[in-house]
């Protein structure tokens, strides 16, 4: 069955540094991969989508890479701020087109002043 | 443009009672997804609906759980005869028609704030 793995341990970094989160998957070749942010007690918020034919995608301080050979995506937040502290979720479409997503358990990021 | 709305935000039910969770998608969105999230776990897909149709219910338990998205009104996730193991946060998400969206990214999902169900 399809499996998504994200770092289960919380990531603690200093303000201003770059945070790098990892998403690995097995047993599937998704057409695209998505990253979401979730704050405690709230629903996930969409951040970025990257397609299988894209190596890298950027949005402001966010950067996502997608290596279909390694079956891995990296999510970077540059110049991190305490407001970036949240849980970040990786998601794959396993339906082959109608957006049925499976999510990783998420990585909790804490940015310290 | 209001976001995805869910109600109630918190629901407490005794074992054996019924729970009804409601979801109003964003305006113009015709696709609704329901997910369940247990503490310290990821979101688990339950069901995908379009207006008046269940497209994929492979993630939903076959007994006690049902979902609908009528022509008029919100989508409903219904859990009959709740048990303690049903306690979780239930999230609804909607997305625009897959042929495109105003943001140019046709596949993102917009989540509601969730309903936290507690079974006592």
């Amino acid at each position: 069955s399809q499996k998504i793995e994200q770092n289960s341990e919380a990531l603690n970094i200093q303000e201003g540094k770059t945070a790098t989160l990892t998403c690995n998957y097995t047993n599937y070749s998704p057409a695209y991969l998505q990253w979401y942010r979730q704050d405690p007690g709230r629903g996930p918020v969409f951040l970025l989508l990257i397609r299988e034919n894209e190596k890298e995608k950027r949005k402001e301080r966010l950067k996502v890479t997608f290596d279909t050979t390694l079956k891995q995506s990296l999510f970077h937040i540059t110049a991190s701020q305490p407001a970036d502290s949240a849980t970040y979720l990786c998601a794959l479409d396993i339906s082959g087109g109608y957006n049925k997503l499976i999510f990783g358990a998420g990585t909790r990021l804490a940015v310290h002043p | 443009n209001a976001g995805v709305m869910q109600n109630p935000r918190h629901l407490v039910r005794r074992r054996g009672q019924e729970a009804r969770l409601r979801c109003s998608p964003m305006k113009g969105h015709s696709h609704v997804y329901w997910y369940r999230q247990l503490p310290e776990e990821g979101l688990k897909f339950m069901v995908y609906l379009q207006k008046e149709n269940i497209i994929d219910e492979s993630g939903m338990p076959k007994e006690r759980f049902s979902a609908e998205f009528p022509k008029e009104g919100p989508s409903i996730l219904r859990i009959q005869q709740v048990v303690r193991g049903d306690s979780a946060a239930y999230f609804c998400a909607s997305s625009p028609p897959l042929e495109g969206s105003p943001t140019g990214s046709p596949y993102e999902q917009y989540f509601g704030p969730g309903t936290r169900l507690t079974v006592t």
Side-chain angles (χ1 to χ4, degrees):
Chain A
S1 62
Q2 301 87 5
K3 192 174 178 182
I4 299 181
E5 290 184 345
Q6 294 186 253
N7 294 354
S8 57
E9 294 183 9
L11 180 63
N12 292 283
I13 65 166
Q14 208 68 29
E15 182 176 9
K17 301 292 185 185
T18 296
T20 298
L21 286 69
T22 304
C23 174
N24 294 295
Y25 59 93
T26 59
N27 297 337
Y28 196 68
S29 298
Y32 54 89
L33 183 149
Q34 304 183 33
W35 284 89
Y36 288 78
R37 168 184 172 142
Q38 187 174 24
D39 292 282
R42 304 180 77 119
V45 175
F46 172 78
L47 295 176
L48 279 168
L49 178 151
I50 186 165
R51 301 177 196 274
E52 61 178 338
N53 60 350
E54 297 175 315
K55 296 293 184 190
E56 183 180 296
K57 199 83 167 278
R58 290 176 185 261
K59 179 183 175 182
E60 299 173 352
R61 294 184 296 109
L62 309 180
K63 184 178 87 170
V64 172
T65 63
F66 193 12
D67 188 327
T68 55
T69 301
L70 290 178
K71 294 188 183 294
Q72 181 181 79
S73 175
L74 299 178
F75 177 80
H76 307 272
I77 306 175
T78 58
S80 59
Q81 304 166 1
D84 295 326
S85 300
T87 296
Y88 291 86
L89 309 173
C90 166
L92 301 178
D93 174 10
I94 62 170
S95 64
Y98 63 73
N99 217 14
K100 173 182 175 180
L101 299 179
I102 56 168
F103 282 83
T107 297
R108 193 175 307 165
L109 172 67
V111 181
H112 302 283
Chain B
N1 189 6
V4 176
M5 294 191 288
Q6 290 187 250
N7 66 79
R9 293 293 308 276
H10 300 275
L11 183 61
V12 179
R13 285 286 178 265
R14 291 199 181 112
R15 279 181 298 172
Q17 291 185 319
E18 178 180 288
R20 291 170 72 90
L21 288 63
R22 295 176 187 75
C23 169
S24 296
M26 286 181 68
K27 187 176 179 180
H29 286 192
S30 54
H31 301 241
V32 167
Y33 308 80
W34 284 94
Y35 295 87
R36 177 163 65 178
Q37 187 173 40
L38 294 168
E40 305 303 319
E41 290 189 19
L43 291 153
K44 303 294 185 192
F45 169 84
M46 298 182 73
V47 62
Y48 163 47
L49 309 104
Q50 295 181 20
K51 283 284 188 183
E52 300 184 276
N53 286 306
I54 296 174
I55 307 301
D56 185 332
E57 56 182 348
S58 58
M60 202 153 65
K62 292 196 174 5
E63 296 180 356
R64 303 188 299 109
F65 285 73
S66 62
E68 62 177 10
F69 189 14
K71 188 176 179 181
E72 301 290 338
S75 175
I76 306 285
L77 178 67
R78 183 177 174 210
I79 311 173
Q80 295 178 292
Q81 299 175 328
V82 296
V83 300
R84 287 222 174 98
D86 297 332
S87 296
Y90 291 84
F91 290 96
C92 161
S94 71
S95 69
L98 295 183
E99 56 268 22
S101 75
T103 66
S105 180
Y107 303 107
E108 74 271 27
Q109 294 186 11
Y110 297 81
F111 282 80
T115 294
R116 275 142 192 88
L117 172 66
T118 301
V119 179
T120 61

